[in-house]
Amino acid sequence: GMIAKHEVETVVTSDGVQVFAGVLHAQEARTFEGVREITVQIARGGVVTLKVNGEDIGQPGDVEHPYSGTFYPPVPTPTPTPSEGGAP
């Protein structure tokens, strides 16, 4: 999800499809979901708090420059399978 600290133009692409393009207003929150990837483009870095895969990553970027980031789903941890055959 994202929460804007200040008004800022933002474009969000989910799995190759643009799902949002417009202005996030101060304190406006948006949530986006994707299966493969989500790309976030923010006109000014440092003004939007991002939470990705449940992890708060803060306000990435610098207010002097646009910010762009691509995020992927977490890699699942393999479940160990019991070894076959037992002890020799």
Side-chain angles (χ1 to χ4, degrees):
M2 54 177 42
I3 301 173
K5 187 167 126 183
H6 299 287
E7 187 172 287
V8 65
E9 289 187 35
T10 306
V11 176
V12 179
T13 304
S14 175
D15 299 328
V17 177
Q18 184 173 292
V19 292
F20 179 79
V23 174
L24 280 181
H25 299 281
Q27 303 307 311
E28 182 177 355
R30 294 274 183 146
T31 300
F32 302 96
E33 294 184 7
V35 175
R36 295 185 315 270
E37 66 182 32
I38 291 182
T39 299
V40 176
Q41 296 173 296
I42 303 169
R44 289 182 303 147
V47 299
V48 175
T49 300
L50 295 179
K51 191 173 192 178
V52 179
N53 298 321
E55 180 181 342
D56 186 346
I57 62 169
Q59 298 169 348
D62 180 324
V63 295
E64 300 291 322
H65 301 96
Y67 170 81
S68 180
T70 300
F71 304 96
Y72 304 92
V75 176
T77 304
T79 304
T81 56
S83 57
E84 293 185 28

